[in-house]
Amino acid sequence: MATNVGPIYDPPSLAHPFGTDRLGDDILSRTMSAATLDVSITVAVVLLSVTVGTVWGSVAGFFGSWFDYLTMRILELLNAFPSLLLAMLVIAVAGPGLLNVVFVVALLPLPDYVRLARAEVRSKKNWQFAEAAKLVGRRPVGVLFAHLVPNSLRPLLTYASVNASQVAATVGALGFLGLGIQPGSAEWGSMISRGQDAILSGQWWVAGFPGLMIFLLAAAFHLISDAIADSRDQGGSW
Amino acid sequence: MITTPTPPVLDIQHLHKEFRLRGTGRDRVLTAVDEVSFTIHAGQTVALVGESGSGKSTIARCITRITEPTSGDVLVEGRSIIKMPSRKLIDIYRSLQMVFQDPNSSLDPRKTARATLDEPLRLHTSLTSHQREQRIRELLAEVDLSDHLIDRLPRQLSGGQRQRLGIARAMAVDPRIILLDEPTASLDVSVRGQIIRLLERLQENKGIAYLFISHDLGVVRRISDRVLVMYLGTIVEEGPTEEVFTHPVHPYTQSLLSAAPLVEVGRRRERVRLAGEIPSPVDLPAGCRLVGRCPVATTACATTEPSLLNVTGSHRAACPVALDMQQVPST
């Protein structure tokens, strides 16, 4: 990252379209560099959470009994904590770092994915195509993963795209609190944090543009979820 | 056709299924299938008829162990499947298959026709992918589905095409017996005849036995060798199809046949009416299940449950009163 490329607290201009911060760093280039990090953390978090949640929830919903009971109690435990507080707590213990952030933020929406997958599979496991799959020679695990899970994915993915916008905001929030990845690296949340004092003294662009980026990323994920919902209405293959 | 020396492909012995209904106070017992026994021989079609709620579908579900029976035994080609661990059932499903009532829900909505037919071949045979592809096309041809439908999803097929695909799936492993659970009930009348003709042709070509569950008496009379009449979980009358249709003995069978508009009964017959509705199968009383609705019931009917009695040959009916009435004019 180039530092001190211009005057400090320079307002948006042709040379620096987003202005510069108190170190003279160009906000536009830091914002762009942060985009790679924020988008990939968000996508990694959602993929991890949706995968683990789908497998866990569908197994619990399909086999029921003690595993389902245990699952529900664990979810209640997770939900009993305010989610951001839980994330801060875990990072305070585990220490900051890219992987820790991904795992911790993935934990937050996990109960939702588990519940959703569990409910979908429970509602479909007595459908005739699941019974027919048994007669075709599938063992229970085969019925679950070859038939029930593929037919449960649409609501999960619809939710995932909505959830991705919340994840983007949470990643930003952790960065803002200095609990994200390495302090100093370009990340929208930590950039807002760096610019928060400047807002009061009139340099709105330092925190404003990274904030706008978080908003745009969240909005983009919402558009994806709308598109998925539309394709469902039109009877698309999913 | 009726009695062959070979062992039956399907032998149902005292099949019994109860559901416990949890409620306030004591649990109540719903008897869906009560001590039902019958056999089906190779290449034979046995029809199971009766009102909705008489336990017809539960019998099919117990035979395949989709639902676990409470007691009794099911022998498929001489092998008992009731005590078999469920992971061994895959061998049974090579001889025993089922066509479901509603192809809209029994086909996986996300699997193409090819994937639907490939699945049983992959799980039951050691064919190479090329051989399986060939077999899939054969199967489609056997059920009169043209090749270009092979990559269609169920929702891109018509109701009749879906049921043909359901039949092809059941045929994929060359079973000895197929349970047909009202295979035409969800189809348009115009398509029903085609499906029935298809089933008849497949039986002629391959010698498959059918358990045909239906309340369409016209179709039953046309395709089945024997008929079992069910009422509230028990068989009240059984016999060769023509015999039962022309000389029904049990008052319930008489009422069922006289209520069917499509059946030509051959001679003018009084409409036999039963009073009331089919009673609840929960906490069944002692005695004959039809007693409250029966035109010929006597006081004895309310206390002793009738068993199946011989009428002629293999024709049996569970009504001593009606049997007595039959025998009076013939002597």
Side-chain angles (χ1 to χ4, degrees):
Chain A
M1 191 65 50
T3 50
N4 297 328
V5 290
I8 63 168
Y9 286 143
D10 201 22
S13 65
L14 273 179
H16 302 289
F18 285 8
T20 63
D21 63 13
R22 69 184 150 86
L23 299 174
D25 289 343
D26 178 59
I27 308 263
L28 175 63
S29 59
R30 275 179 65 84
T31 304
M32 285 163 63
S33 150
T36 2
L37 195 61
D38 279 74
V39 172
S40 39
I41 289 179
T42 304
V43 170
V45 163
V46 172
L47 284 181
L48 182 66
S49 200
V50 83
T51 309
V52 174
T54 301
V55 173
W56 184 359
S58 58
V59 169
F62 188 71
F63 293 102
S65 89
W66 65 268
F67 184 72
D68 190 37
Y69 182 84
L70 188 70
T71 298
M72 293 315 283
R73 299 297 86 78
I74 292 174
L75 297 191
E76 282 156 15
L77 202 71
L78 279 174
N79 278 0
F81 285 97
S83 51
L84 196 58
L85 196 67
L86 179 71
M88 288 165 61
L89 206 79
V90 177
I91 291 191
V93 175
L98 190 63
L99 273 183
N100 285 355
V101 170
V102 170
F103 284 129
V104 167
V105 182
L107 197 63
L108 304 182
L110 188 64
D112 296 341
Y113 288 116
V114 175
R115 280 214 176 81
L116 203 53
R118 176 178 175 272
E120 279 294 313
V121 166
R122 274 168 68 98
S123 74
K124 294 197 166 100
K125 73 173 173 184
N126 290 326
W127 279 25
Q128 283 195 335
F129 72 79
E131 292 171 349
K134 185 184 165 188
L135 261 79
V136 151
R138 286 278 186 196
R139 306 213 185 289
V141 173
V143 174
L144 176 59
F145 288 105
H147 293 276
L148 291 173
V149 169
N151 279 288
S152 305
L153 281 183
R154 190 150 75 174
L156 280 159
L157 292 175
T158 309
Y159 179 69
S161 54
V162 175
N163 174 241
S165 58
Q166 295 160 354
V167 168
T170 308
V171 171
L174 285 175
F176 178 80
L177 296 169
L179 291 170
I181 39 152
Q182 293 308 316
S185 59
E187 191 279 325
W188 292 334
S190 54
M191 288 173 72
I192 296 175
S193 165
R194 197 195 264 197
Q196 60 183 325
D197 297 332
I199 295 175
L200 296 175
S201 50
Q203 289 89 15
W204 54 269
W205 56 87
V206 183
F209 283 111
L212 182 68
M213 290 303 125
I214 293 177
F215 166 76
L216 287 178
L217 181 60
F221 283 120
H222 268 290
L223 288 178
I224 294 175
S225 95
D226 281 354
I228 294 176
D230 283 351
S231 93
R232 166 169 30 185
D233 294 344
Q234 288 154 16
S237 69
W238 61 276
Chain B
M1 186 76 91
I2 296 153
T3 45
T4 36
T6 52
V9 285
L10 187 67
D11 189 353
I12 311 296
Q13 298 173 346
H14 306 288
L15 191 69
H16 193 81
K17 178 62 185 175
E18 288 176 355
F19 294 97
R20 296 211 169 269
L21 306 176
R22 289 173 177 279
T24 49
R26 74 202 171 91
D27 285 359
R28 305 200 301 165
V29 173
L30 184 155
T31 309
V33 179
D34 192 3
E35 299 282 326
V36 166
S37 302
F38 61 91
T39 57
I40 301 179
H41 289 271
Q44 202 182 25
T45 301
V46 173
L48 202 52
V49 300
E51 285 167 270
S52 314
S54 58
K56 307 184 301 268
S57 291
T58 309
I59 286 184
R61 295 169 63 85
C62 285
I63 292 172
T64 52
R65 280 186 60 189
I66 289 172
T67 307
E68 295 290 335
T70 310
S71 64
D73 207 352
V74 174
L75 282 79
V76 177
E77 295 186 304
R79 283 187 293 174
S80 165
I81 70 161
I82 296 304
K83 290 166 207 84
M84 194 174 269
S86 50
R87 70 197 147 75
K88 294 247 177 179
L89 285 176
I90 186 166
D91 295 335
I92 294 298
Y93 297 147
R94 206 163 295 169
S95 330
L96 172 75
Q97 277 293 322
M98 178 156 166
V99 173
F100 292 83
Q101 174 174 352
D102 184 0
N104 303 317
S105 59
S106 64
L107 295 171
D108 187 330
R110 294 174 53 90
K111 296 254 185 295
T112 60
R114 178 192 273 116
T116 298
L117 296 180
D118 191 48
E119 198 173 15
L121 297 174
R122 212 154 21 90
L123 294 167
H124 285 280
T125 68
S126 51
L127 299 176
T128 65
S129 70
H130 181 71
Q131 289 168 321
R132 289 202 307 270
E133 177 73 18
Q134 234 172 355
R135 178 83 181 111
I136 290 166
R137 287 174 192 277
E138 273 172 36
L139 283 165
L140 288 175
E142 273 172 19
V143 297
D144 301 327
L145 285 176
S146 69
D147 257 10
H148 72 271
L149 300 173
I150 195 165
D151 287 315
R152 296 271 183 98
L153 291 170
R155 65 183 158 78
Q156 295 163 324
L157 298 171
S158 70
Q161 288 169 337
R162 279 178 215 156
Q163 195 56 299
R164 285 168 199 277
L165 183 58
I167 292 168
R169 175 173 62 185
M171 303 281 310
V173 292
D174 265 325
R176 303 307 307 146
I177 177 155
I178 299 185
L179 312 181
L180 303 159
D181 186 3
E182 308 208 29
T184 58
S186 64
L187 301 176
D188 287 345
V189 178
S190 57
V191 183
R192 278 182 201 176
Q194 296 171 19
I195 296 288
I196 295 298
R197 277 193 293 279
L198 170 67
L199 290 169
E200 284 179 313
R201 198 183 69 212
L202 292 171
Q203 184 170 46
E204 272 170 37
N205 294 346
K206 295 172 183 278
I208 309 166
Y210 289 147
L211 176 63
F212 187 79
I213 296 171
S214 182
H215 47 232
D216 186 338
L217 293 172
V219 171
V220 165
R221 189 174 195 180
R222 173 170 155 187
I223 77 162
S224 63
D225 304 308
R226 282 182 71 77
V227 183
L228 313 172
V229 182
M230 279 197 81
Y231 182 72
L232 276 181
T234 54
I235 293 175
V236 294
E237 182 157 4
E238 62 167 318
T241 306
E242 268 317 297
E243 171 76 15
V244 172
F245 271 78
T246 49
H247 302 290
V249 171
H250 199 283
Y252 179 71
T253 314
Q254 290 175 349
S255 118
L256 198 67
L257 294 181
S258 70
L262 290 172
V263 180
E264 296 257 348
V265 282
R267 59 191 159 111
R268 192 172 290 272
R269 187 195 300 276
E270 284 293 304
R271 175 93 158 80
V272 181
R273 287 177 194 277
L274 297 178
E277 292 285 307
I278 184 166
S280 160
V282 178
D283 293 337
L284 285 169
C288 179
R289 274 141 216 227
L290 198 61
V291 72
R293 308 172 69 190
C294 182
V296 299
T298 64
T299 46
C301 296
T303 50
T304 41
E305 190 179 343
S307 53
L308 284 167
L309 303 166
N310 281 328
V311 183
T312 49
S314 62
H315 182 190
R316 303 195 297 161
C319 185
V321 180
L323 266 173
D324 284 346
M325 285 160 62
Q326 287 244 318
Q327 274 150 12
V328 172
S330 64
T331 46

